[in-house]
Amino acid sequence: MNNSDSRINPRQLGTPRGIKADNTYEFLFAGGSCAAVPTSGDRKNRNKPTRGRKKSVFEAYMSKEDVSAGLKRGELIQGPLRINPKKYHEAFIPSPDGTRDIFIDGVVARNRALNGDIVVVKLLPKEQWKVIKPDGSDKETEATHESDVPEDMLGTCIPQETAKGDAKSPDVIIEAQFDDNDAEHGQDHLQDTLTDDVKKLTLDTGEKEKAVGIGGVHRTKPDDGPKVNDPRLLPDKFLQRTAKVVYILEKKHSRAATGFIKLLADKNSELFKRCAMFSPVDHRVPRAYVSLADCPPDFVTRPEDYSNTLFICRIVDWKEDSNFATGQLAKSLGQAGEIEPETEGILTEYGVDFSEFSPEALACLPQSLPWVISPGELAKRRDLRKECIFTIDPSTAKDLDDALSCKQLPDGNFEVGVHIADVSYFVLEETALDKVASERATSVYLVQKVIPMLPKLLCEELCSLNPMRDRLTFSVMWKMTPEGKILDEWFGQTVICSCVKLTYDHAQSMIESPGKVFSPEELPPVSPQHSIAEIQQAVLNLHQIAQHLRKQRFIDGALRLDQLKLSFTLDQESGMPQGCYIYQYRDSNKLVEEFMLLANMAVAHQIYRSFPEQALLRRHPPPQTKLLKDLMEFCNQVGLDIDFSSAGTLHKSLNETFGADKYSEARKEVLTNMFSRPMQMALYFCTGVLKDETLFRHYALNVPFYTHFTSPIRRYADIIVHRLLSASLGASPPIKMEKEAIQRQADHCNDRKMASKRVQELSADLFFAIFVRECGPLESEAMVMGVLNEAFDVLVLKFGVQKRIYCNALPLLGFHFQKVGRKPELTLMWEPEKLEQESVPQVITIFTLVEVVLTSDGAPLKYSALLKRPSLE
């Protein structure tokens, strides 16, 4: 690349003002307000290209052998790379000992690794470690808009140093309800925190957080703080280790990105005739040269026609001596800001396979339709077709994996059944269909559609427990007292015929009006074999038992963190969002959740007993110590008495801390959000690979063994669990997979689960941004979650979204930041509306209730929150 070509017109590429595009690598990544601005002397012109001479920008990777030896000797460290979506030059990997993350400063130190990759790093000498100022006077660069960039999938790179997984929305919150029932219908939208990243990672010491609160960063004038000492002379608690990437162990990032194409600036160069520049929307992906031959034919003559067209580009190479990667344009998606192009971009970036199923995979399905259960198969199973069995799902559900039954016994006890679609009957081990399902690993639920793990014929027909259809199932049945005490347990292959497809609304009506006689018109079609009264009684009995089970779970120390989840109503013609609302989680949801949890726990015990080396279970590690400590200090500083000693005490504190006034729920939402941050992701694992049984525990559920059994239509892990359960009952031969293969599949399921969760969140973000654009401005009450010294974060209560509000965007005469004790506080001085009026002061601190307006910005899918002026009363 000759030097003139590297100097692409900085304004054309949105290089941040004040950065010379030809002398630092700052300008390599997509620009605009989100590109980096040099911070506190982070990168003083290092790696400045030498003019006129080709020079390596990046270090060559170490050899595989040296890496292997270095890891063994403990000289090198490996881990997943997380790049800060707001400041692409900051990246981190978790510290193996669970302490503060290791900081990777700058694009050069990151050495061409992308977000999510498993990298090997070498620590830099101590004099290059990052100093964390104990008084919290670290400077912060200009904050960018939190809706600007998709966040990273591997946990927020918030300065609260999230390690190992998406800590903001761990499935402690959704382990059953949203893992087992609603996530598939696009309800599992756990909004991202908005402390997201406008803060510098290195602020994260206990002292720092004490000073500013979980949501806050104390930005001060450069001369405010003490002069930085030589890191070698400082105690380790004031330092953050820094490192550089020396090897990429596994390229987890899909290497695909959506973005825009532009002509190169230097029309006279050789490159201009051959290449265009691809600028990704995600600033953590490098810009790339793409061949003009892959661009639309009239792009060179009419580039302006494509200024708003989204393209998908795959990064195919990134040479040591090049500031830019080499990319290949895969396809044009359509106009930015439109639902389908944006959705396809999200799916591609996160590596979701949405292609049609191959003929080989479809050949594994029953070919003669309509399909009927053979007499031979019926003879092997317990026949429950005459029992009163029904499904309860969201109204939009088509893939019905689970059904329930509850029959009163003569002795006053109940026979309760959980009946799960027997997917493993159709998806046989090592077939083409099994291979596709294992690769997809999960269905992905977008706001407007589902990308299924299995072909439609299985998902919506043969496996779906549709009413008045004979279906093959795997059942767990218990004899129970009315208080939910288990007297007996049975597992087995069964055949059922569901008598009705209830929605959560139907079941809720039955629970709320136990004496009501429902007419046939008020319910979906009911099988003539069973009366509405019989179904209603079964729902009420299940509800009573579920209440006892739930109460006992929390007495036994379980934790639940419910964050606000946004749902949309869509226009049937256009598919555009017409309205949005916070999804209500009610008794009918809780009823289903309790029995799914019970079945999953029962199956976990059964398969672990039978196959101690091969069981696929799900563990939930306890919260990250460092983040928990920060949160404890924060709660102390704002005067909240929270007991963090266990999941149970945390749950109890959270549910007892609040008064009954109308804002108590809002305060609870804010705290729930904060408590979610230190939480780790729950993970699938193979018991034969993890030797220490204490690590099998599920922190949030507070149980020793847990697995996923209840959703095999949409989760591959459940199919493996079904095979193990079947083998444990002698109904099928032992599973063919060795423990190492099961662990590899468990890792893959974890990766795909995290990606699908992120995609789901981005889908909801997309629809909400379009809703603001089409239906805004939107007004709502909001509660302050964190206070910085020139901005503050709010939870918008009507929509469950979080936004940052900047003081410089408001009509203020001035504002003042101070700490009252250790509690951060911003005083805003509003400009008077009329000359004769006085300025109105407004104090902003944690839990302050404010009025906000969400307004669409000029750019596609961008919206901002503005504070409404307080009234004079």
Side-chain angles (χ1 to χ4, degrees):
M1 180 174 91
N2 70 35
N3 198 56
S4 59
D5 292 319
S6 71
R7 281 181 287 157
I8 288 172
N9 177 347
R11 284 272 59 79
Q12 178 192 352
L13 292 181
T15 304
R17 285 185 292 282
I19 292 178
K20 292 200 192 96
D22 59 349
N23 73 351
T24 62
Y25 55 81
E26 249 66 358
F27 71 103
L28 308 187
F29 281 44
S33 62
C34 278
V37 177
T39 62
S40 50
D42 278 344
R43 298 170 307 290
K44 294 219 168 50
N45 287 342
R46 48 177 186 272
N47 297 83
K48 191 190 248 190
T50 315
R51 290 193 178 280
R53 168 164 72 81
K54 207 154 195 188
K55 176 177 182 292
S56 274
V57 179
F58 301 103
E59 274 186 30
Y61 294 128
M62 286 172 73
S63 70
K64 224 171 183 168
E65 297 70 32
D66 289 352
V67 165
S68 188
L71 286 168
K72 279 200 184 88
R73 288 196 298 267
E75 291 163 7
L76 302 175
I77 296 169
Q78 77 175 64
L81 182 78
R82 298 190 331 271
I83 304 172
N84 183 332
K86 301 298 163 54
K87 297 186 193 157
Y88 71 81
H89 55 84
E90 297 183 346
F92 319 103
I93 70 161
S95 174
D97 59 5
T99 56
R100 184 176 294 118
D101 282 354
I102 296 163
F103 184 37
I104 296 154
D105 188 10
V107 178
V108 171
R110 194 155 75 230
N111 204 355
R112 297 162 287 162
L114 299 188
N115 190 57
D117 288 353
I118 307 296
V119 296
V120 176
V121 302
K122 182 177 185 182
L123 290 180
L124 296 174
K126 194 168 180 177
E127 59 267 25
Q128 290 179 42
W129 290 5
K130 185 89 182 162
V131 176
I132 296 160
K133 307 195 182 72
D135 70 339
S137 66
D138 215 331
K139 295 185 288 292
E140 179 182 66
T141 53
E142 246 339 279
T144 54
H145 231 263
E146 73 275 5
S147 59
D148 277 353
V149 204
E151 263 142 27
D152 60 326
M153 159 184 140
L154 284 169
T156 63
C157 328
I158 37 190
Q160 297 132 358
E161 307 168 283
T162 311
K164 310 175 197 77
D166 187 346
K168 295 169 303 178
S169 35
D171 57 6
V172 15
I173 305 163
I174 52 169
E175 186 61 75
Q177 169 212 348
F178 290 107
D179 259 11
D180 280 315
N181 288 294
D182 293 355
E184 62 265 50
H185 314 291
Q187 309 290 10
D188 177 14
H189 175 225
L190 294 165
Q191 264 291 347
D192 280 343
T193 76
L194 39 60
T195 55
D196 206 23
D197 276 318
V198 204
K199 304 174 281 187
K200 199 136 180 67
L201 167 125
T202 50
L203 302 184
D204 205 3
T205 58
E207 288 298 315
K208 178 64 193 167
E209 292 290 25
K210 251 191 277 182
V212 293
I214 282 299
V217 164
H218 177 39
R219 269 163 58 192
T220 56
K221 301 291 179 289
D223 52 5
D224 254 14
K227 298 292 172 272
V228 177
N229 300 317
D230 181 335
R232 288 169 298 188
L233 307 175
L234 286 171
D236 281 357
K237 70 172 180 179
F238 296 135
L239 296 177
Q240 177 167 32
R241 292 180 295 171
T242 55
K244 62 180 182 183
V245 172
V246 293
Y247 193 74
I248 301 175
L249 266 182
E250 194 181 347
K251 290 181 173 176
K252 288 265 175 127
H253 189 284
S254 66
R255 287 340 191 235
T258 53
F260 302 95
I261 54 173
K262 293 165 184 166
L263 290 172
L264 299 186
D266 187 346
K267 292 187 168 60
N268 304 318
S269 71
E270 274 306 301
L271 262 181
F272 182 87
K273 297 168 192 159
R274 298 198 320 270
C275 293
M277 180 59 73
F278 171 80
S279 280
V281 174
D282 182 347
H283 305 251
R284 297 164 298 179
V285 179
R287 291 182 174 182
Y289 286 125
V290 291
S291 167
L292 279 176
D294 293 337
C295 297
D298 59 347
F299 168 65
V300 175
T301 50
R302 303 185 58 84
E304 65 282 355
D305 290 2
Y306 296 94
S307 63
N308 197 41
T309 304
L310 274 181
F311 289 86
I312 284 182
C313 173
R314 295 194 180 274
I315 304 294
V316 290
D317 195 12
W318 195 354
K319 297 264 191 285
E320 285 162 32
D321 62 4
S322 176
N323 285 325
F324 300 101
T326 307
Q328 190 163 21
L329 277 193
K331 66 184 287 192
S332 159
L333 292 172
Q335 293 300 293
E338 289 180 8
I339 289 171
E340 286 314 311
E342 294 281 358
T343 297
E344 192 176 329
I346 292 167
L347 292 170
T348 307
E349 284 187 24
Y350 283 89
V352 175
D353 178 0
F354 55 93
S355 61
E356 295 298 319
F357 286 90
S358 70
E360 295 77 21
L362 295 173
C364 303
L365 300 173
Q367 298 302 304
S368 56
L369 298 173
W371 172 81
V372 288
I373 301 168
S374 70
E377 189 56 43
L378 269 177
K380 294 182 202 164
R381 292 171 178 263
R382 182 167 166 183
D383 191 342
L384 302 174
R385 287 176 293 177
K386 290 196 165 57
E387 300 293 328
C388 176
I389 294 175
F390 47 87
T391 57
I392 305 176
D393 288 278
S395 55
T396 51
K398 290 181 183 163
D399 47 355
L400 315 179
D401 324 68
D402 54 276
L404 291 164
S405 60
C406 184
K407 184 165 74 176
Q408 185 145 20
L409 301 170
D411 62 4
N413 292 316
F414 291 93
E415 182 184 73
V416 174
V418 168
H419 314 277
I420 304 299
D422 188 355
V423 178
S424 61
Y425 174 85
F426 296 97
V427 183
L428 299 174
E429 221 179 332
E430 296 180 346
T431 57
L433 181 58
D434 185 43
K435 188 172 187 301
V436 175
S438 72
E439 283 165 2
R440 292 194 176 200
T442 178
S443 294
V444 179
Y445 294 86
L446 305 168
V447 170
Q448 79 278 33
K449 61 183 172 186
V450 181
I451 311 296
M453 178 178 83
L454 294 168
K456 211 170 188 171
L457 179 65
L458 288 187
C459 284
E460 297 183 11
E461 291 293 327
L462 306 187
C463 291
S464 186
L465 306 182
N466 297 333
M468 277 81 90
R469 292 277 182 275
D470 291 357
R471 288 291 178 255
L472 300 177
T473 44
F474 230 128
S475 300
V476 186
M477 298 177 80
W478 299 276
K479 183 178 176 182
M480 277 185 183
T481 67
E483 293 74 43
K485 185 167 184 282
I486 295 171
L487 305 173
D488 197 13
E489 182 173 72
W490 179 86
F491 300 94
Q493 290 178 312
T494 50
V495 56
I496 69 162
C497 182
S498 166
C499 62
V500 65
K501 176 191 172 183
L502 296 176
T503 66
Y504 282 119
D505 290 336
H506 296 131
Q508 190 63 29
S509 302
M510 292 176 175
I511 290 166
E512 287 174 5
S513 314
K516 180 178 171 181
V517 177
F518 285 83
S519 66
E521 298 75 44
E522 292 176 272
L523 294 175
V526 173
S527 158
Q529 264 75 53
H530 300 280
S531 68
I532 291 175
E534 183 186 1
I535 293 163
Q536 185 179 8
Q537 193 53 56
V539 169
L540 290 170
N541 291 339
L542 285 170
H543 171 60
Q544 292 301 327
I545 297 169
Q547 283 185 307
H548 287 292
L549 289 172
R550 191 175 183 84
K551 186 178 171 194
Q552 193 56 49
R553 270 199 316 114
F554 290 116
I555 289 170
D556 291 342
L559 164 67
R560 187 179 181 89
L561 296 174
D562 277 318
Q563 284 180 297
L564 300 172
K565 294 140 199 105
L566 200 53
S567 294
F568 297 85
T569 47
L570 305 180
D571 181 284
Q572 290 208 310
E573 295 293 307
S574 67
M576 294 288 275
Q578 285 178 316
C580 67
Y581 57 94
I582 300 281
Y583 182 72
Q584 292 299 308
Y585 183 67
R586 298 170 299 174
D587 284 343
S588 53
N589 303 80
K590 292 173 186 174
L591 179 163
V592 176
E593 177 186 9
E594 286 311 313
F595 292 106
M596 297 305 122
L597 285 172
L598 204 60
N600 284 334
M601 289 187 267
V603 170
H605 282 269
Q606 170 72 11
I607 63 173
Y608 182 49
R609 265 196 309 270
S610 306
F611 303 109
E613 289 290 299
Q614 283 176 297
L616 178 71
L617 300 187
R618 187 163 176 80
R619 65 194 181 91
H620 183 219
Q624 299 162 65
T625 329
K626 173 79 183 67
L627 296 188
L628 198 63
K629 194 165 139 278
D630 292 344
L631 187 58
M632 286 161 76
E633 296 203 9
F634 168 74
C635 287
N636 287 338
Q637 93 191 23
V638 295
L640 287 169
D641 185 19
I642 309 285
D643 183 347
F644 286 93
S645 49
S646 71
T649 59
L650 192 53
H651 182 89
K652 202 159 178 270
S653 301
L654 185 59
N655 287 283
E656 289 176 2
T657 302
F658 302 97
D661 64 276
K662 69 173 191 169
Y663 302 131
S664 60
E665 271 307 301
R667 285 201 297 274
K668 187 176 170 184
E669 291 302 340
V670 168
L671 269 188
T672 297
N673 199 284
M674 291 174 180
F675 288 1
S676 301
R677 290 179 202 161
M679 298 299 164
Q680 304 204 55
M681 283 291 279
L683 299 165
Y684 298 113
F685 72 101
C686 176
T687 52
V689 172
L690 199 62
K691 291 300 173 206
D692 182 355
E693 209 177 83
T694 58
L695 297 176
F696 293 11
R697 283 197 75 80
H698 195 292
Y699 171 81
L701 294 172
N702 197 29
V703 294
F705 305 107
Y706 189 67
T707 194
H708 274 166
F709 158 75
T710 53
S711 293
I713 294 177
R714 63 184 181 86
R715 286 189 307 230
Y716 188 74
D718 302 51
I719 293 180
I720 295 180
V721 167
H722 276 231
R723 288 173 184 159
L724 288 162
L725 181 61
S726 175
S728 79
L729 302 170
S732 61
I735 188 167
K736 293 173 187 169
M737 295 168 86
E738 297 291 327
K739 63 183 180 183
E740 292 76 16
I742 294 173
Q743 183 58 48
R744 277 196 300 278
Q745 183 63 48
D747 290 339
H748 180 65
C749 287
N750 292 331
D751 289 344
R752 296 321 304 158
K753 159 110 181 145
M754 220 184 298
S756 74
K757 189 161 173 305
R758 193 66 200 110
V759 165
Q760 220 164 287
E761 291 165 358
L762 290 169
S763 175
D765 289 349
L766 164 65
F767 274 78
F768 188 65
I770 290 171
F771 180 67
V772 176
R773 183 183 79 200
E774 300 296 317
C775 307
L778 307 173
E779 295 192 5
S780 172
E781 283 190 310
M783 187 166 268
V784 176
M785 310 177 63
V787 180
L788 291 73
N789 67 341
E790 292 178 23
F792 54 97
D793 295 336
V794 295
L795 178 66
V796 182
L797 298 171
K798 198 187 281 185
F799 307 111
V801 299
Q802 298 157 34
K803 294 298 280 182
R804 175 158 290 180
I805 294 176
Y806 299 96
C807 295
N808 62 8
L810 303 173
L812 304 177
L813 292 175
F815 55 88
H816 171 63
F817 175 82
Q818 63 177 357
K819 280 177 286 193
V820 180
R822 289 175 174 169
K823 195 172 174 183
E825 189 176 280
L826 258 180
T827 304
L828 312 180
M829 299 304 295
W830 287 82
E831 280 178 3
E833 286 183 273
K834 301 193 184 91
L835 281 173
E836 66 276 8
Q837 290 176 335
E838 290 196 3
S839 171
V840 181
Q842 184 178 16
V843 176
I844 301 290
T845 187
I846 195 92
F847 301 135
T848 301
L849 206 69
V850 295
E851 296 271 338
V852 297
V853 182
L854 301 180
T855 323
S856 196
D857 295 350
L861 307 181
K862 304 283 186 286
Y863 65 95
S864 44
L866 291 174
L867 191 60
K868 278 182 79 174
R869 179 188 291 275
S871 60
L872 287 167
E873 293 129 43

